[in-house]
């Protein structure tokens, strides 16, 4: 899984077309990402990002699937936003991968208390990473300006907000 601040497109492998829909990626039963992973590039997440940033239209995306990592890159007016989901064989493997990522990511700090929503999580100045079940979700806003959206929130706050919208989808 690309670390926060890393170009996911460069490390994720083959990419689909510029306006990729999750259906452009092979289904889980064909060795592709799970339905839960596909949600990071789905209509609900795209709509949520559009609303958070008060965009006039839903942003375009590119998606890829390689090495059990589903990556969705949003083409935002201010720069790319990269969401990735690493799928592990089981929750223990996901947790171990999450812990390795946290230990090797510069400037990572645990998200604790109510802010972590009951899941292991950490944040950097430009990203948010959560683990839930057998998934590790990374929202990487490193390519965006220091503050974004109509409320001028920090990249870290924006990444956290996007991550929580995905986690909410996973809980429904």
């Amino acid at each position: 899984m690309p670390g926060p601040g890393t170009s996911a497109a460069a490390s994720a492998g083959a990419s689909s077309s510029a306006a990729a829909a999750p259906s452009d990626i092979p289904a889980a039963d064909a060795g592709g990402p799970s339905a839960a992973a596909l949600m990071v590039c789905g209509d609900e997440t795209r709509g949520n990002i559009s609303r958070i940033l008060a965009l006039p239209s839903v942003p375009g995306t590119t998606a890829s699937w390689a090495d059990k990592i589903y990556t969705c890159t949003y083409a935002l007016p201010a720069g790319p936003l990269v969401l990735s989901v690493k799928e592990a064989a089981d929750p223990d493997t996901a947790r171990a991968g999450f812990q390795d990522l946290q230990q090797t990511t510069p400037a990572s700090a645990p998200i604790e208390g109510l802010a972590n929503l009951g899941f292991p999580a950490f944040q950097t100045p430009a990203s948010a990473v959560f683990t839930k079940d057998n998934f590790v979700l990374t929202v990487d806003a490193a390519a965006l300006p220091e503050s974004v959206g109509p409320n001028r929130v920090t990249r870290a706050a924006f990444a956290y907000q996007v991550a929580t919208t995905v986690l909410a989808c996973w809980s429904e």
Side-chain angles (χ1 to χ4, degrees):
M1 169 181 245
T6 303
S7 170
S11 61
S15 184
S16 61
S17 68
S23 61
D24 294 337
I25 303 298
D29 60 355
S34 66
L38 291 171
M39 288 181 178
V40 300
C41 216
D43 290 342
E44 185 171 357
T45 302
R46 290 173 25 164
N48 285 332
I49 289 170
S50 188
R51 277 188 292 286
I52 291 166
L53 296 176
L55 299 174
S57 62
V58 178
T61 60
T62 56
S64 64
W65 171 249
D67 300 324
K68 299 287 186 186
I69 302 169
Y70 180 68
T71 303
C72 182
T73 302
Y74 285 80
L76 300 177
L81 171 69
V82 181
L83 281 68
S84 60
V85 179
K86 169 71 174 173
E87 295 196 35
D90 56 60
D92 289 339
T93 304
R95 179 71 184 256
F98 167 84
Q99 290 171 336
D100 288 345
L101 184 59
Q102 184 175 13
Q103 291 172 358
T104 60
T105 300
S108 68
I111 300 173
E112 298 177 347
L114 293 176
N116 75 355
L117 309 173
F119 305 115
F122 71 88
Q123 198 162 21
T124 73
S127 67
V129 181
F130 283 80
T131 186
K132 181 179 187 296
D133 302 326
N134 62 314
F135 303 111
V136 178
L137 168 67
T138 300
V139 177
D140 180 354
L144 298 177
E146 292 293 324
S147 61
V148 297
N151 296 319
R152 309 304 301 160
V153 298
T154 66
R155 291 181 298 199
F158 175 61
Y160 173 84
Q161 189 174 13
V162 171
T164 59
T165 66
V166 172
L167 289 168
C169 292
W170 285 354
S171 297
E172 292 176 355

